[in-house]
C-alpha cells in the first residue's frame, strides 16, 4: 500500500504493500533554520514538517520520507532516502536525569560483535558514532549509527549507503536529522520504549478507504464517526 504526495512519477523502491512514501519538498523547499536540532517540541522553530506524532520531519528538497506501517496504521519504520543514501530514524523515551546514547551504543556494538561484525567508534557531529560493515542478503553493507540525547528522549539514526562512510555525503539527510522535532509528551514511559508514531490524518484516511474498497475492515480509529 503506497501513499504518495509526489507531484509526478511512480513511487520508487517499494518493498512491500505496507510501505508508505511521502514527499512534500516540491511545495515547501528546504529547512532554513540556523540552529541545529533535533529539537524538543518546546523549542522548535516554526517550519513545515511531516507530523508523525512523536516525531516531526522537516521538508528538505530531494529527500523522500518513507513510512512503513502495518495494516492497522501503526508505524513500524521511518526511512529518509536521498540518492543512494538512506537514514533510518527511531525515537525513544529516556530518563530526565541523564542521556542513554552511551549505553545504547555499547549494546549495539556488542550485538554487532555477536553477529560477527566489528564496529568502530568515531567522533562525529553529535559526538561518538558507531560505524560497522555488516553482511546482508545483498552483500556487505556499511552502517553509521548516530545518537542524540534530548530532554527525556533519544533520537537514533542509522545511515546507509554513501552517507555511512562519508558524513559529507549525507547532505540533505543531515539537514533532516538536524531539523527533527520530538514531541515526547508528559506521560511516564519505560526508558528506551519507542515513542508512538502515527500516520498523518490524510494518509490514515487513505489507508482506511483502500482497506474498505478491498473488503477489509478499517483499523480502530480510522473510520470517522
Amino acid at each position: 500500500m503506497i501513499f504518495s504526495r509526489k507531484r509526478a512519477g511512480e513511487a520508487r523502491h517499494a518493498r512491500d504493500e505496507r510501505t508508505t512514501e511521502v514527499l512534500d519538498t516540491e511545495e515547501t523547499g528546504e529547512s532554513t533554520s540556523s540552529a541545529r536540532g533535533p529539537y524538543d517540541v518546546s523549542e522548535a522553530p516554526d517550519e513545515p514538517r511531516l507530523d508523525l506524532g512523536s516525531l516531526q520531519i522537516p521538508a528538505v528538497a530531494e529527500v523522500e520520507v518513507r513510512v512503513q506501517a502495518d495494516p492497522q496504521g501503526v508505524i513500524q519504520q521511518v526511512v529518509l532516502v536521498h540518492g543512494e543514501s538512506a537514514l533510518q530514524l527511531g525515537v525513544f523515551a529516556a530518563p530526565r536525569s541523564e542521556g542513554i546514547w552511551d549505553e545504547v551504543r555499547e549494546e549495539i556494538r556488542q550485538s554487532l560483535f555477536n553477529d560477527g561484525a566489528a564496529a568502530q567508534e568515531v567522533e562525529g557531529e553529535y559526538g561518538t558514532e558507531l560505524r560497522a560493515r555488516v553482511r546482508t542478503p545483498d552483500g556487505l553493507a556499511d552502517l553509521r549509527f548516530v545518537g542524540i540525547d534530548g530532554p527525556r528522549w533519544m533520537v537514533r539514526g542509522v545511515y546507509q549507503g554513501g552517507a555511512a562512510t562519508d558524513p559529507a555525503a549525507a547532505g540533505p539527510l543531515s539537514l533532516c536529522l538536524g531539523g527533527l522535532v520530538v514531541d515526547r509528551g508528559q506521560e511516564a514511559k519505560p526508558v528506551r520504549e519507542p515513542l508512538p508514531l502515527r500516520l498523518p490524518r490524510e494518509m490514515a484516511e487513505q489507508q482506511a478507504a483502500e482497506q474498505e474498497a478491498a473488503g477489509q475492515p478499517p483499523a480502530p480509529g480510522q473510520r470517522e464517526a
Side-chain angles (χ1 to χ4, degrees), residues 31-152:
S31 171
T32 58
S33 172
S34 58
R36 171 68 63 172
Y39 305 95
D40 189 74
V41 69
S42 63
E43 60 183 14
D46 185 14
E47 296 177 355
R49 296 182 180 87
L50 176 65
D51 187 353
L52 301 179
S54 295
L55 196 61
Q56 300 172 21
I57 301 174
V60 174
E62 301 180 359
V63 172
E64 296 175 17
V65 183
R66 301 179 183 177
V67 181
Q68 181 175 317
D70 66 15
Q72 287 71 45
V74 177
I75 292 179
Q76 299 175 322
Q77 188 177 82
V78 179
V79 179
L80 313 184
V81 178
H82 177 259
E84 298 302 316
S85 295
L87 173 62
Q88 182 178 342
L89 296 172
V91 60
F92 306 88
R96 186 184 302 274
S97 58
E98 60 183 357
I100 60 174
W101 171 236
D102 288 345
E103 186 176 346
V104 169
R105 186 178 68 252
E106 174 57 26
E107 292 181 1
I108 294 172
R109 189 196 66 77
Q110 186 61 51
S111 177
L112 290 168
F113 178 80
N114 292 340
D115 290 338
Q120 177 185 10
E121 289 190 342
V122 297
E123 287 303 306
E125 182 179 9
Y126 292 101
T128 306
E129 303 177 351
L130 202 62
R131 298 187 188 181
R133 178 166 292 181
V134 300
R135 291 191 178 278
T136 73
D138 298 323
L140 293 175
D142 292 300
L143 301 176
R144 177 162 62 97
F145 297 83
V146 178
I148 305 102
D149 289 308
R152 301 175 66 220

Side-chain angles (χ1 to χ4, degrees), residues 201-213:
R201 180 178 177 181
E202 170 189 334
M203 294 163 62
E205 290 176 351
Q206 183 180 347
Q207 183 183 48
E210 294 189 7
Q211 287 178 343
E212 189 168 359

